[in-house]
Structure formats: C-alpha cells, structure tokens
C-alpha cells in the first residue's frame, strides 16, 4: 500500500489530482473501452500540466510502480491500466489551439479526436484522424493514424510537425525534423515506447466541411463477384475516396466508399458502384465531416467486451476474397465476428518508407476482425472465432498495424516493423528508455539491436 506520507508528498507536487482506490472518480478513470479490462491501479494521477506528467513519472520510478498512460483508453488489451501500478491520466490535458492562417493545431496529449475535429472544422480545416471521435489523439498518432483523409494527406503521424515529450527520467524534450530528429522519426509510428507526449503540433489542410458515404449491401451468395469488381474499382479510384467493405453479424456484405470533399464529385463514382452487382439495398448520404467522424461512436461504446485481430494485405486475390467472406467458419454458424477492409494507397504510399517508423506503406487494404459481446461466459468462444477468421487471411498478410495488435506480444511487434526498422527502434529505446519504464505498450525492448 501507499503510505500517507507518500500520498501527501505526491499531492503537493501536483496541479491536478491524485485519485486512490475508493475515491470519487477512481472507477471511471480505470474503466476503458474494452469492458474485459478490470484492473485496479494503486493510484491515478489526473494530470493538469506537463509538470504533473513529470511528477507522475518520477513518482512511479521512486515507488517502483508499473506505469500506464491513459488518454482515450482504446487499447484492446487495456495497456493504459496497470494492476497495482500508477496510471497517468492525461485527459484533463485535452486542449486544442488552432492557427487558421498558418494551418497549424497544437493539441495536448490528453485530447480526443472529437475535440481536435471540432476546433479545426470551425475554419474548414482538418488533419487525418481516426474514425471514432472518442479515440485518443496520442495513441492514434504514435502508432501511425489511419483515417478518411489519409489517402489525400497521409497518415496522422505524417502530419505531425513537432512533439513535446516527457522522458523516463522526467526530462521534457522536443522532437521535430531539426530537433532530436531520430526521436521524431521513432515517434511517428513507434508507439508509446519512448516517453509520454504532452503536445502534438499538426499540419492542417483545407478540406471543407462536407462528405459523402456510399454503401451497397449484398447477400453472401452474391458477394464474391461484387467484391471482385469493388477491388478493381478501388485500384483506379480518386484519392478523395476511401473504399470500405465489411461482413457484419447479420451475414450481409457491405461494400462502398467514403468521400471527403465536394459530394457532387463523389457522386461521379456512383454509376460504377451500382454496376458492382445486384445489391439488396443502396445507401448514399451526405454527412458533414464532423458527423462522418462520429458515425461509429455508438457502435464503439465503452460497455462491451471486445477482441480483435488485424492484418495488412498487400493484395486481395480472389482466394483472399473467399476467405474474407467465410470468416473462419461455415455460413450460418452463430457468434461470428465482424470483418472489415479499409483501403490504403494514395498519399500514404507517397511517403518514403524510411521517413518514419511506421511501416508497410504499400498496403492495399487493412483487414480487421472484431468481436463484440456482453457475457463473460462467451469470452473463449468469441475470441476463438475471431482468431479463426483472422487466420483465414493470414496467408495473404504482409504485416500488421501496431494500433490493431492485441495479445500477439513480441511476434506482433515483429509483424508491425521489418527487421531493419526494429533494430533502429531498439537503438532509440536504448537511448531514451534503457530500463523499459514505458513497457505497457506493444513493446520495443531495450537491448542489442
């Protein structure tokens, strides 16, 4: 237990608040997106300033406590929540400051995507961000950051101008192309392995405020030719279009695209989409960009038990389409996971591979198999079904997105980074965190590169 003298000393260091088990706010702080995660930190530091982050890191080291960092809390395995450790809760540091003339945004490390989107959309600006508004900016960006603007403007990490970071020693450093450039390289895709980022400076783009979503639904027995045509159309689609496909729990197959920009231009793709096959329904909508960014929020709430697996696919041959549609088991079986595809390419692939730690820029589609349920008794069944479905696509996989790794451990890290990059990241880890203070992540271990 933490004695009263330690608690008093920690309180005196903070601008924010120390929350202990049994106190108001403790259970809310430790509750994250995946309801399977039910761990109890010894203390939670609700950080209100960079100084609080420094104090939290130093406190964890002084008391030899495992350190977790919480923003959106979307890690599928709950990496933010250390059992009997110290949780750094960055959410009070959620501010966003925008310079619309310079097209820059300065985003505190605890901000959620919704806060970033709302502030920049006042000026018709945006930068690449994920598809669920209550995701943390920090976790998304440090792992790479895919979103509806990525094919036009690159990944979230490609749009970072600078980072401000607290190190394992409690120092505050800045990283950019000219200041700590190797750290700048590693923070763009290397995850939370090197420190706690307290501020991101982003480049913004004039995207307007409008979008278009087109979705066509097919029964399973008519989906194979439709997905073939969808795949081929994706190869020549404009960069404003991000093609998507999914098979839901209802067994229906949905294929379409999301367009950010003038909806009238996006509608020029609709005749070719209607030629994919004989859909049972068509949905075409023109949400605002902010509505688009919130469209999955209700589905992605914080009360469900969850598990997922993911792959990067460098190609999508007919055999892979068939495996995608099977979902690991025969049609009609109960409890099947949902599977989805999102197109890469465009500006993502324009960035040279060695420019950042993020890897696999020549990915064609990102595949995610996601299970969601409510009863603990179903855990084993649901997780097993997701693993089987993902295994069907593994022969076509070229790697994995670090932000979609779950319980793969070191093998998952090796899938996310090729050997040369992993060696370079290890050298960087040795320099900034040789004792692996920041190991509750998809961990790059210090040691020999």
């Amino acid at each position: 237990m933490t004695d009263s003298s330690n608690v008093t000393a920690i309180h005196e260091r903070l601008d924010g608040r120390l929350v202990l088990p049994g106190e108001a706010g403790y259970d809310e702080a430790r509750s994250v997106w995946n309801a399977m995660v039910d761990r109890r930190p010894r203390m939670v530091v609700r950080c209100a300033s960079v100084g609080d982050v420094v104090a939290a890191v130093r406190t964890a080291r002084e008391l030899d406590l495992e350190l977790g960092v919480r923003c959106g809390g979307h890690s599928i395995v709950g990496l933010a929540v250390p059992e009997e450790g110290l949780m750094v809760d960055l959410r009070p540091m959620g501010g966003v400051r925008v310079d619309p003339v310079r097209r820059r945004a300065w985003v505190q490390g605890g901000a959620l995507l919704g806060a970033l989107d709302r502030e920049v959309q006042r000026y018709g600006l945006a930068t690449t961000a994920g598809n669920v508004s209550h995701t943390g900016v920090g976790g998304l960006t440090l792992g790479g950051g895919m979103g509806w603007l990525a094919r036009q403007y690159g990944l979230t990490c490609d749009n970072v101008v600078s980072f401000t970071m607290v190190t394992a020693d409690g120092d505050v450093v800045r990283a950019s192309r000219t200041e700590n450039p190797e750290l700048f390289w590693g923070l763009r895709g290397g995850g939370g392995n090197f420190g706690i980022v307290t501020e991101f400076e982003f480049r913004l783009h004039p995207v307007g405020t409008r979008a278009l979503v087109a979705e066509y639904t097919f029964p399973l027995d008519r989906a194979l030719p439709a997905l073939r045509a969808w795949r081929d159309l994706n190869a020549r689609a404009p960069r404003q279009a991000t093609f998507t496909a999914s098979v839901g729990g209802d067994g229906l197959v949905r294929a379409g695209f999301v367009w950010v920009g003038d909806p009238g231009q996006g509608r020029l793709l609709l005749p070719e989409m209607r030629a994919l096959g004989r859909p049972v329904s068509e949905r075409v909508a023109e949400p605002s960009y902010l509505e688009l960014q919130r469209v999955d929020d209700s589905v992605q709430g914080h009360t469900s038990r969850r598990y997922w697996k993911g792959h990067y696919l460098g190609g999508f041959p007919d055999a892979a389409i068939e495996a995608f549609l099977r979902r690991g088991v025969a049609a009609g079986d109960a409890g099947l996971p949902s599977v989805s595809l999102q197109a890469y390419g465009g500006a993502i692939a324009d960035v040279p591979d060695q420019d950042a730690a993020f890897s696999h820029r020549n990915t064609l589609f990102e595949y995610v198999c996601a299970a969601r349920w409510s009863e603990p008794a179903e855990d084993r069944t649901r997780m097993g079904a997701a693993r089987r479905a993902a295994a069907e696509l593994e022969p076509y996989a070229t790697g994995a997105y670090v932000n979609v790794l779950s319980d793969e451990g070191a093998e998952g890290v090796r899938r996310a980074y090729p050997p040369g990059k992993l060696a370079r990241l290890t050298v960087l880890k040795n320099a900034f965190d040789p004792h692996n203070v920041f190991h509750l992540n998809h961990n790059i271990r210090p040691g020999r590169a």
Side-chain angles (χ1 to χ4, degrees):
M1 297 294 291
T2 305
D3 63 40
S4 58
S5 61
N6 281 332
V7 169
T8 300
I10 297 164
H11 273 296
E12 290 174 349
R13 296 180 185 182
L14 298 176
D15 299 312
R17 182 178 168 222
L18 176 67
V19 183
L20 302 176
E23 294 182 349
Y26 174 79
D27 284 331
E28 186 276 333
R30 71 184 185 89
S31 299
V32 291
W33 179 64
N34 185 356
M36 292 180 72
V37 178
D38 187 24
R39 294 192 285 272
R40 301 182 67 84
R42 188 178 301 182
M43 60 180 68
V44 177
V45 178
R46 299 265 294 160
C47 296
S49 65
V50 175
D52 285 358
V53 178
V54 171
V57 170
R58 291 179 175 168
T59 297
R61 300 201 68 178
E62 290 165 6
L63 299 179
D64 194 26
L65 294 177
E66 196 168 34
L67 187 66
V69 183
R70 193 241 164 94
C71 181
H74 273 236
S75 162
I76 197 69
V77 288
L79 292 168
V81 192
E83 181 69 31
E84 281 294 311
L86 187 154
M87 176 191 280
V88 178
D89 188 349
L90 295 175
R91 289 175 298 167
M93 299 173 61
V96 178
R97 178 169 59 89
V98 181
D99 184 334
V101 176
R102 295 177 59 199
R103 293 179 183 166
R104 290 286 189 272
W106 291 265
V107 181
Q108 288 186 299
L112 303 183
L113 298 184
L116 169 61
D117 288 335
R118 285 191 301 273
E119 292 303 316
V120 299
Q121 274 286 281
R122 298 175 190 272
Y123 311 99
L125 301 172
T127 198
T128 303
N131 308 342
V132 177
S133 74
H134 49 73
T135 304
V137 171
L140 177 87
T141 306
L142 293 172
M146 181 57 183
W148 301 125
L149 291 173
R151 284 174 41 83
Q152 294 186 66
Y153 300 113
L155 300 164
T156 312
C157 70
D158 297 330
N159 288 282
V160 178
V161 178
S162 69
F163 302 86
T164 301
M165 187 189 84
V166 175
T167 72
D169 290 330
D171 298 325
V172 181
V173 299
R174 189 173 182 275
S176 68
R177 290 197 181 273
T178 58
E179 190 173 0
N180 290 308
E182 188 67 4
L183 178 60
F184 183 70
W185 175 87
L187 289 174
R188 288 177 296 131
N193 276 282
F194 311 109
I196 302 175
V197 176
T198 57
E199 185 176 78
F200 300 83
E201 179 185 357
F202 286 108
R203 185 179 301 109
L204 303 176
H205 306 278
V207 303
T209 60
R210 302 169 69 194
L212 177 80
V213 177
E215 183 178 85
Y216 298 80
T217 301
F218 299 89
L220 197 60
D221 60 359
R222 297 209 302 263
L224 180 58
L227 281 186
R228 284 194 195 113
W230 171 88
R231 171 199 63 196
D232 296 343
L233 180 57
N234 171 75
R236 59 181 187 275
R239 292 186 173 198
Q240 292 96 321
T242 301
F243 274 44
T244 65
S246 64
V247 187
D250 56 7
L252 294 174
V253 181
R254 295 167 177 84
F257 66 90
V258 171
W259 180 281
V260 179
D262 178 4
Q265 292 296 311
R267 286 180 175 276
L268 297 178
L269 274 175
L270 296 184
E272 289 183 275
M273 293 298 300
R274 289 168 179 149
L276 292 180
R278 293 182 293 122
V280 295
S281 67
E282 172 189 85
R283 182 176 71 89
V284 178
E286 294 188 13
S288 70
Y289 180 75
L290 285 179
E291 290 168 340
L292 173 67
Q293 290 293 88
R294 296 192 299 262
V295 72
D296 286 334
D297 283 7
S298 60
V299 173
Q300 306 287 1
H302 286 64
T303 59
S304 296
R305 304 175 78 80
R306 301 175 182 278
Y307 186 77
W308 66 27
K309 289 286 193 181
H311 299 301
Y312 277 148
L313 306 178
F316 197 46
D318 287 1
I321 297 176
E322 293 170 354
F324 175 75
L325 294 172
R326 280 195 303 269
R327 290 186 288 166
V329 289
D333 284 2
L336 297 184
S338 298
V339 294
S340 63
L341 298 168
Q342 187 168 0
Y344 276 50
I348 302 169
D350 288 346
V351 177
D353 184 68
Q354 290 304 315
D355 187 69
F358 181 88
S359 305
H360 306 295
R361 288 187 178 273
N362 289 325
T363 292
L364 179 65
F365 295 114
E366 180 189 347
Y367 164 88
V368 176
C369 172
R372 182 168 64 96
W373 66 101
S374 58
E375 294 300 324
E378 297 181 24
D379 288 359
R380 185 173 179 178
T381 300
R382 297 289 191 149
M383 293 167 70
R387 289 172 181 142
R388 288 193 298 274
E392 289 256 30
L393 271 293
E394 194 156 350
Y396 312 98
T398 53
Y401 180 24
V402 70
N403 280 351
V404 181
L405 295 178
S406 55
D407 53 1
E408 298 90 346
E411 175 58 31
V413 174
R414 288 191 290 271
R415 292 184 66 216
Y417 308 105
K421 282 196 177 180
L422 189 54
R424 187 173 171 183
L425 287 163
T426 301
V427 171
L428 190 61
K429 182 74 168 181
N430 290 339
F432 280 91
D433 187 18
H435 302 293
N436 210 11
V437 173
F438 302 110
H439 65 269
L440 288 180
N441 45 45
H442 298 296
N443 195 227
I444 296 161
R445 297 174 183 169
R448 296 183 61 183

